[in-house]
Amino acid sequence: MATTAEWLEGARLRTLPAAIAPVAVGTGAAAEMGAAHAGRALLAAGVALALQVGVNYANDYSDGVRGTDLDRVGPMRLTASGAARPSQVRTAAFVAFGVAALLGLALVALSGHWWLLAVGAVAVAAAWTYTGGRTPYGYRGLGEVGVFVFFGLVATLGTTYTQTDGVSWAAVVGAVAIGLLACALLMVNNLRDIPTDVLAGKRTLAVRLGDHRARRVYAVLVTLPIGLGAICAFASPWAALVLLLGFPAGVLAATVLLGARGILLKPVLAGTGLLELGFGLVLGLGLAI
């Protein structure tokens, strides 16, 4: 039976900034519109975190039963390592999705926008079919599309919308920036796994692009959001503070462009997650001031 520490590792805590950052930006945009609501922001954060954990367990289960995770450089996989039975990992994913659904229901009830339940259902379905089901889209190079849409646009704009009943242009720009950073997080993860993914037949975008081009795409994904965040200074001057993150973004891009691979990409993965979290907090605060 897997230990608590192994279950936490299986949850891949380094990816959780991808859940917090869009809520921070969305709430900051709501504050800039004069209608931020702390309770709804916390519910949105709960939904995003539960979905992220659910995705991570779902990926662990689906990749494990497919045999994709038999030889990986990254964190321990519960299913592939045999630390937990596949059914246990699948149940953990469904429990996380259930928590997300309950919190989402509460958020929808408070906002009064019941049509958002359909959006939530699509988000859960997308989380499961990323690597699950008969034709997982993550195996066809479309993982970044799903991440951009759901952990960028939907998470950010949904947070703003449930607090303000609308969105602003700054919220849209911030959502695009967050989506790109979330894609950067996935890209560097898949860049590390190119050799094993090729052998397993997993055609991620990094595999399709090849090592060299995937590195250049990562560099764009991790630096372009800084400029997009700065554009939001036209809505709130303090948003320009995101320019301070240009240096760490440049260091991450340079590290990847200079050829870091394998275990050397582990700090880049952690750094990308921290950059996304920092970007979300700084831009959210900048918009709110």
Side-chain angles (χ1 to χ4, degrees), residues 108-143:
V108 167
L110 287 173
S111 69
H113 298 293
W114 292 98
W115 63 271
L116 288 174
L117 289 177
V119 177
V122 173
V124 171
W128 177 255
T129 56
Y130 170 55
T131 55
R134 294 184 178 180
T135 55
Y137 64 88
Y139 279 58
R140 294 182 290 169
L142 298 175

Short mmCIF file of all heavy atoms in Angstrom, two decimals, residues 108-143:
data_model
loop_
_atom_site.label_atom_id
_atom_site.label_comp_id
_atom_site.label_asym_id
_atom_site.label_seq_id
_atom_site.Cartn_x
_atom_site.Cartn_y
_atom_site.Cartn_z
N VAL A 108 -21.26 28.04 -8.61
CA VAL A 108 -22.30 28.35 -9.59
C VAL A 108 -23.57 28.83 -8.89
O VAL A 108 -24.22 29.79 -9.33
CB VAL A 108 -22.60 27.12 -10.47
CG1 VAL A 108 -23.89 27.33 -11.27
CG2 VAL A 108 -21.43 26.86 -11.41
N ALA A 109 -23.91 28.18 -7.79
CA ALA A 109 -25.11 28.58 -7.05
C ALA A 109 -24.99 30.01 -6.53
O ALA A 109 -25.96 30.79 -6.58
CB ALA A 109 -25.35 27.62 -5.89
N LEU A 110 -23.81 30.38 -6.05
CA LEU A 110 -23.61 31.74 -5.55
C LEU A 110 -23.64 32.77 -6.67
O LEU A 110 -24.16 33.88 -6.50
CB LEU A 110 -22.27 31.83 -4.81
CG LEU A 110 -22.20 31.17 -3.44
CD1 LEU A 110 -20.77 31.19 -2.90
CD2 LEU A 110 -23.15 31.86 -2.46
N SER A 111 -23.08 32.40 -7.81
CA SER A 111 -23.03 33.35 -8.93
C SER A 111 -24.35 33.43 -9.69
O SER A 111 -24.66 34.45 -10.31
CB SER A 111 -21.91 32.96 -9.90
OG SER A 111 -22.23 31.76 -10.60
N GLY A 112 -25.13 32.34 -9.65
CA GLY A 112 -26.41 32.32 -10.36
C GLY A 112 -26.29 31.98 -11.83
O GLY A 112 -27.30 31.97 -12.54
N HIS A 113 -25.10 31.65 -12.30
CA HIS A 113 -24.90 31.34 -13.72
C HIS A 113 -24.86 29.81 -13.89
O HIS A 113 -23.80 29.20 -14.00
CB HIS A 113 -23.60 31.97 -14.23
CG HIS A 113 -23.59 33.46 -14.16
ND1 HIS A 113 -24.42 34.25 -14.93
CD2 HIS A 113 -22.86 34.32 -13.38
CE1 HIS A 113 -24.20 35.53 -14.65
NE2 HIS A 113 -23.26 35.61 -13.71
N TRP A 114 -26.03 29.21 -13.95
CA TRP A 114 -26.12 27.76 -13.95
C TRP A 114 -25.57 27.12 -15.21
O TRP A 114 -25.20 25.93 -15.19
CB TRP A 114 -27.58 27.35 -13.73
CG TRP A 114 -28.05 27.70 -12.35
CD1 TRP A 114 -28.77 28.80 -11.98
CD2 TRP A 114 -27.79 26.98 -11.15
NE1 TRP A 114 -28.98 28.81 -10.62
CE2 TRP A 114 -28.39 27.70 -10.08
CE3 TRP A 114 -27.11 25.79 -10.86
CZ2 TRP A 114 -28.32 27.26 -8.75
CZ3 TRP A 114 -27.05 25.35 -9.54
CH2 TRP A 114 -27.65 26.09 -8.50
N TRP A 115 -25.48 27.86 -16.29
CA TRP A 115 -24.92 27.30 -17.52
C TRP A 115 -23.44 26.92 -17.35
O TRP A 115 -22.90 26.11 -18.11
CB TRP A 115 -25.08 28.27 -18.68
CG TRP A 115 -24.34 29.58 -18.52
CD1 TRP A 115 -24.79 30.71 -17.93
CD2 TRP A 115 -23.01 29.86 -18.97
NE1 TRP A 115 -23.83 31.69 -17.97
CE2 TRP A 115 -22.73 31.19 -18.61
CE3 TRP A 115 -22.04 29.11 -19.66
CZ2 TRP A 115 -21.51 31.81 -18.90
CZ3 TRP A 115 -20.82 29.73 -19.95
CH2 TRP A 115 -20.57 31.05 -19.57
N LEU A 116 -22.79 27.48 -16.31
CA LEU A 116 -21.40 27.15 -16.07
C LEU A 116 -21.20 25.70 -15.64
O LEU A 116 -20.10 25.16 -15.69
CB LEU A 116 -20.81 28.09 -15.02
CG LEU A 116 -20.57 29.54 -15.46
CD1 LEU A 116 -20.12 30.38 -14.28
CD2 LEU A 116 -19.55 29.60 -16.59
N LEU A 117 -22.30 25.05 -15.21
CA LEU A 117 -22.20 23.62 -14.88
C LEU A 117 -21.78 22.82 -16.10
O LEU A 117 -21.03 21.83 -15.98
CB LEU A 117 -23.55 23.11 -14.35
CG LEU A 117 -23.96 23.59 -12.96
CD1 LEU A 117 -25.34 23.05 -12.61
CD2 LEU A 117 -22.94 23.16 -11.91
N ALA A 118 -22.25 23.22 -17.27
CA ALA A 118 -21.87 22.53 -18.50
C ALA A 118 -20.38 22.71 -18.77
O ALA A 118 -19.69 21.78 -19.21
CB ALA A 118 -22.69 23.05 -19.68
N VAL A 119 -19.88 23.91 -18.51
CA VAL A 119 -18.44 24.17 -18.68
C VAL A 119 -17.63 23.29 -17.74
O VAL A 119 -16.61 22.70 -18.12
CB VAL A 119 -18.13 25.66 -18.42
CG1 VAL A 119 -16.63 25.91 -18.53
CG2 VAL A 119 -18.88 26.55 -19.41
N GLY A 120 -18.12 23.17 -16.50
CA GLY A 120 -17.44 22.32 -15.53
C GLY A 120 -17.42 20.86 -15.95
O GLY A 120 -16.40 20.17 -15.79
N ALA A 121 -18.54 20.39 -16.50
CA ALA A 121 -18.60 19.00 -16.95
C ALA A 121 -17.61 18.75 -18.09
O ALA A 121 -16.94 17.71 -18.13
CB ALA A 121 -20.02 18.67 -17.41
N VAL A 122 -17.52 19.71 -19.01
CA VAL A 122 -16.56 19.58 -20.11
C VAL A 122 -15.13 19.58 -19.58
O VAL A 122 -14.27 18.83 -20.06
CB VAL A 122 -16.75 20.72 -21.13
CG1 VAL A 122 -15.65 20.70 -22.19
CG2 VAL A 122 -18.11 20.61 -21.80
N ALA A 123 -14.87 20.41 -18.56
CA ALA A 123 -13.53 20.47 -17.98
C ALA A 123 -13.14 19.13 -17.35
O ALA A 123 -12.00 18.67 -17.51
CB ALA A 123 -13.47 21.58 -16.93
N VAL A 124 -14.07 18.50 -16.63
CA VAL A 124 -13.78 17.19 -16.02
C VAL A 124 -13.55 16.14 -17.12
O VAL A 124 -12.63 15.32 -17.02
CB VAL A 124 -14.92 16.76 -15.09
CG1 VAL A 124 -14.73 15.32 -14.63
CG2 VAL A 124 -15.00 17.70 -13.88
N ALA A 125 -14.37 16.18 -18.14
CA ALA A 125 -14.21 15.23 -19.25
C ALA A 125 -12.85 15.42 -19.92
O ALA A 125 -12.17 14.45 -20.27
CB ALA A 125 -15.34 15.42 -20.27
N ALA A 126 -12.46 16.68 -20.11
CA ALA A 126 -11.16 16.97 -20.73
C ALA A 126 -10.02 16.50 -19.84
O ALA A 126 -8.99 16.01 -20.32
CB ALA A 126 -11.03 18.47 -20.99
N ALA A 127 -10.20 16.63 -18.52
CA ALA A 127 -9.17 16.18 -17.58
C ALA A 127 -8.97 14.67 -17.68
O ALA A 127 -7.83 14.18 -17.65
CB ALA A 127 -9.57 16.57 -16.16
N TRP A 128 -10.06 13.93 -17.80
CA TRP A 128 -9.96 12.47 -17.86
C TRP A 128 -9.42 12.00 -19.21
O TRP A 128 -8.59 11.09 -19.29
CB TRP A 128 -11.31 11.83 -17.60
CG TRP A 128 -11.28 10.34 -17.74
CD1 TRP A 128 -11.77 9.59 -18.76
CD2 TRP A 128 -10.68 9.41 -16.82
NE1 TRP A 128 -11.52 8.26 -18.54
CE2 TRP A 128 -10.85 8.12 -17.35
CE3 TRP A 128 -10.01 9.56 -15.60
CZ2 TRP A 128 -10.38 6.98 -16.71
CZ3 TRP A 128 -9.54 8.42 -14.95
CH2 TRP A 128 -9.72 7.15 -15.52
N THR A 129 -9.90 12.58 -20.31
CA THR A 129 -9.52 12.10 -21.64
C THR A 129 -8.18 12.64 -22.11
O THR A 129 -7.76 12.34 -23.22
CB THR A 129 -10.60 12.48 -22.68
OG1 THR A 129 -10.82 13.90 -22.65
CG2 THR A 129 -11.91 11.77 -22.38
N TYR A 130 -7.49 13.43 -21.28
CA TYR A 130 -6.14 13.88 -21.63
C TYR A 130 -5.24 12.68 -21.89
O TYR A 130 -4.54 12.60 -22.90
CB TYR A 130 -5.58 14.77 -20.51
CG TYR A 130 -4.12 15.10 -20.66
CD1 TYR A 130 -3.64 15.68 -21.83
CD2 TYR A 130 -3.21 14.80 -19.65
CE1 TYR A 130 -2.29 15.97 -21.98
CE2 TYR A 130 -1.86 15.09 -19.79
CZ TYR A 130 -1.41 15.68 -20.95
OH TYR A 130 -0.08 15.96 -21.09
N THR A 131 -5.26 11.72 -20.96
CA THR A 131 -4.51 10.47 -21.20
C THR A 131 -5.39 9.25 -21.06
O THR A 131 -4.91 8.12 -21.22
CB THR A 131 -3.34 10.34 -20.19
OG1 THR A 131 -3.84 10.45 -18.85
CG2 THR A 131 -2.29 11.41 -20.44
N GLY A 132 -6.69 9.42 -20.73
CA GLY A 132 -7.59 8.30 -20.55
C GLY A 132 -8.50 8.09 -21.74
O GLY A 132 -8.56 8.90 -22.66
N GLY A 133 -9.23 7.00 -21.71
CA GLY A 133 -10.15 6.69 -22.80
C GLY A 133 -9.44 6.02 -23.97
O GLY A 133 -8.24 5.76 -23.94
N ARG A 134 -10.20 5.78 -25.03
CA ARG A 134 -9.65 5.06 -26.18
C ARG A 134 -8.72 5.92 -27.02
O ARG A 134 -7.74 5.43 -27.59
CB ARG A 134 -10.80 4.54 -27.06
CG ARG A 134 -11.64 3.46 -26.39
CD ARG A 134 -12.69 2.93 -27.35
NE ARG A 134 -13.48 1.86 -26.73
CZ ARG A 134 -14.47 1.22 -27.36
NH1 ARG A 134 -14.79 1.53 -28.61
NH2 ARG A 134 -15.13 0.26 -26.72
N THR A 135 -9.03 7.21 -27.14
CA THR A 135 -8.21 8.10 -27.97
C THR A 135 -7.83 9.35 -27.17
O THR A 135 -8.36 10.43 -27.40
CB THR A 135 -8.96 8.50 -29.25
OG1 THR A 135 -10.23 9.10 -28.88
CG2 THR A 135 -9.20 7.32 -30.14
N PRO A 136 -6.92 9.22 -26.21
CA PRO A 136 -6.52 10.37 -25.39
C PRO A 136 -5.85 11.46 -26.25
O PRO A 136 -4.94 11.17 -27.03
CB PRO A 136 -5.52 9.75 -24.40
CG PRO A 136 -5.02 8.52 -25.06
CD PRO A 136 -6.17 8.00 -25.87
N TYR A 137 -6.34 12.68 -26.08
CA TYR A 137 -5.80 13.76 -26.92
C TYR A 137 -4.38 14.14 -26.54
O TYR A 137 -3.63 14.70 -27.34
CB TYR A 137 -6.73 14.97 -26.92
CG TYR A 137 -6.90 15.67 -25.59
CD1 TYR A 137 -6.05 16.69 -25.20
CD2 TYR A 137 -7.96 15.34 -24.74
CE1 TYR A 137 -6.22 17.35 -24.00
CE2 TYR A 137 -8.14 16.00 -23.53
CZ TYR A 137 -7.28 17.00 -23.16
OH TYR A 137 -7.46 17.66 -21.97
N GLY A 138 -3.96 13.84 -25.30
CA GLY A 138 -2.59 14.11 -24.90
C GLY A 138 -1.59 13.28 -25.67
O GLY A 138 -0.42 13.66 -25.82
N TYR A 139 -2.03 12.13 -26.19
CA TYR A 139 -1.16 11.25 -26.97
C TYR A 139 -1.10 11.67 -28.44
O TYR A 139 -0.40 11.06 -29.22
CB TYR A 139 -1.66 9.81 -26.88
CG TYR A 139 -1.26 9.09 -25.62
CD1 TYR A 139 -1.60 9.57 -24.36
CD2 TYR A 139 -0.54 7.90 -25.66
CE1 TYR A 139 -1.25 8.92 -23.20
CE2 TYR A 139 -0.17 7.22 -24.50
CZ TYR A 139 -0.53 7.75 -23.27
OH TYR A 139 -0.16 7.09 -22.12
N ARG A 140 -1.84 12.71 -28.79
CA ARG A 140 -1.87 13.18 -30.17
C ARG A 140 -1.33 14.60 -30.31
O ARG A 140 -1.56 15.26 -31.31
CB ARG A 140 -3.30 13.10 -30.72
CG ARG A 140 -3.83 11.68 -30.85
CD ARG A 140 -5.23 11.66 -31.42
NE ARG A 140 -6.21 12.19 -30.49
CZ ARG A 140 -7.46 12.48 -30.80
NH1 ARG A 140 -7.88 12.33 -32.06
NH2 ARG A 140 -8.30 12.94 -29.89
N GLY A 141 -0.62 15.04 -29.30
CA GLY A 141 0.01 16.36 -29.38
C GLY A 141 -0.91 17.52 -29.09
O GLY A 141 -0.59 18.67 -29.40
N LEU A 142 -2.07 17.24 -28.46
CA LEU A 142 -3.04 18.30 -28.19
C LEU A 142 -3.13 18.66 -26.71
O LEU A 142 -4.04 19.39 -26.31
CB LEU A 142 -4.42 17.86 -28.70
CG LEU A 142 -4.53 17.61 -30.21
CD1 LEU A 142 -5.91 17.06 -30.56
CD2 LEU A 142 -4.26 18.89 -30.98
N GLY A 143 -2.19 18.16 -25.92
CA GLY A 143 -2.22 18.44 -24.49
C GLY A 143 -2.14 19.92 -24.18
O GLY A 143 -2.86 20.43 -23.31
#
